């Protein structure tokens, strides 16, 4: 019997697996693809968003901001390259500039440091910016990372610490038992105390 079964070996599943590997738990990760990070995590933009965009007071806003702040330490611990290059959201006319102000106000509520920069400063920061840009919303905490390298590093660290990973094994049914859960896959079934669904 497992203590925890994690469904999905993308960035969330791998991160959870790494965190749980710090404890004396019998944990299994089930991934339907033939490698980690082969779904949504492998198809993302590689941007670590600052968190100004999600609606304030939502879980997405809360976790976006907290997650962003964790990346410096995670990248250092795992030896994964991570750069805080910042981001600039452009306004190409005055109507869009008003939307930048709405985003700035949202950023304040989400505790994200941003500022609106005018055309002149925008050109100094990013000389190749389109001449149509009238302003930009600068978010310094935005970063970039290689999602493939990150997921592999997270999962390798989890495995080194005792986590078990099964690839090419799709979860097809979860049943609540009197104590715990029965997880049926394309290959077999398992019993576990807890199930964490991190599937994309």
């Amino acid at each position: 019997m497992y203590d925890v079964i994690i469904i999905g070996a993308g960035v969330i599943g791998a991160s959870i697996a790494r965190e749980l590997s710090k404890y004396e738990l019998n944990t299994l990760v089930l991934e339907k693809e033939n490698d980690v990070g082969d779904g949504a995590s492998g198809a993302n933009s590689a941007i670590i968003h600052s968190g100004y965009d999600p609606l304030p007071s939502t879980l997405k806003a809360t976790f976006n901001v907290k997650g962003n702040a964790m990346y410096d330490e995670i990248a250092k611990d795992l030896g994964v390259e991570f750069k805080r290059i910042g981001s600039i959201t452009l306004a190409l006319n005055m109507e869009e500039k008003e939307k930048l102000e709405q985003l700035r106000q949202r950023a304040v509520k989400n505790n994200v440091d941003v500022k609106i920069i005018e055309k002149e400063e925008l050109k100094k920061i990013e000389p190749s910016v389109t001449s149509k840009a009238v302003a930009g919303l600068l978010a310094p905490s935005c970063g970039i990372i290689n999602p493939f390298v990150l997921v592999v590093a997270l999962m390798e660290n989890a495995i080194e610490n005792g986590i078990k990973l099964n690839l090419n094994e799709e979860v097809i049914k979860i049943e609540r038992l009197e104590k715990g859960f029965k997880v049926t896959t394309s290959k077999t079934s398992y019993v576990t105390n807890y199930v964490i669904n991190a599937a994309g």
Side-chain angles (χ1 to χ4, degrees):
M1 182 170 185
Y2 287 97
D3 293 308
V4 182
I5 287 180
I6 300 168
I7 304 169
V11 68
I12 300 299
S15 295
I16 294 169
R18 178 177 181 253
E19 192 61 30
L20 290 182
S21 74
K22 298 174 183 178
Y23 303 92
E24 291 184 15
L25 296 170
N26 187 16
T27 303
L28 170 66
V29 179
L30 297 170
E31 171 56 52
K32 71 174 183 175
E33 303 296 342
N34 65 0
D35 202 355
V36 300
D38 214 19
S41 294
N44 74 42
S45 62
I47 297 171
I48 305 303
H49 293 277
S50 58
Y52 67 79
D53 189 45
L55 290 173
S57 302
T58 62
L59 287 175
K60 185 174 183 180
T62 300
F63 293 139
N64 191 159
V65 176
K66 285 185 176 182
N68 175 289
M70 295 168 65
Y71 267 91
D72 297 287
E73 184 178 349
I74 291 169
K76 183 180 177 184
D77 287 350
L78 296 174
V80 175
E81 187 177 13
F82 169 60
K83 294 180 181 178
R84 287 200 185 276
I85 61 170
S87 68
I88 303 173
T89 303
L90 299 178
L92 303 183
N93 54 52
M94 297 314 290
E95 184 181 345
E96 289 183 356
K97 189 175 178 183
E98 289 176 15
K99 290 182 180 177
L100 290 187
E101 176 55 29
Q102 293 170 7
L103 288 175
R104 189 196 68 76
Q105 291 174 18
R106 193 180 286 185
V108 170
K109 292 177 182 175
N110 289 348
N111 294 312
V112 178
D113 179 35
V114 300
K115 75 172 187 173
I116 293 179
I117 53 176
E118 301 298 330
K119 189 169 189 171
E120 298 74 23
E121 188 177 358
L122 183 57
K123 270 287 189 186
K124 286 178 186 175
I125 294 172
E126 187 53 67
S128 298
V129 72
T130 176
S131 59
K132 295 178 182 178
V134 297
L137 183 72
L138 176 65
S141 64
C142 182
I144 55 171
I145 198 163
N146 184 319
F148 304 103
V149 173
L150 173 64
V151 176
V152 168
L154 286 164
M155 192 56 75
E156 282 182 346
N157 187 225
I159 291 170
E160 287 169 359
N161 292 335
I163 297 292
K164 186 176 179 188
L165 169 66
N166 287 4
L167 299 171
N168 297 306
E169 190 164 357
E170 183 176 7
V171 173
I172 55 178
K173 188 176 183 182
I174 301 171
E175 299 170 78
R176 183 182 290 277
L177 305 175
E178 189 174 321
K179 183 182 178 186
F181 300 87
K182 180 181 178 183
V183 178
T184 302
T185 73
S186 52
K187 295 183 177 179
T188 186
S189 61
Y190 308 92
V191 177
T192 180
N193 288 320
Y194 297 97
V195 176
I196 299 174
N197 184 2

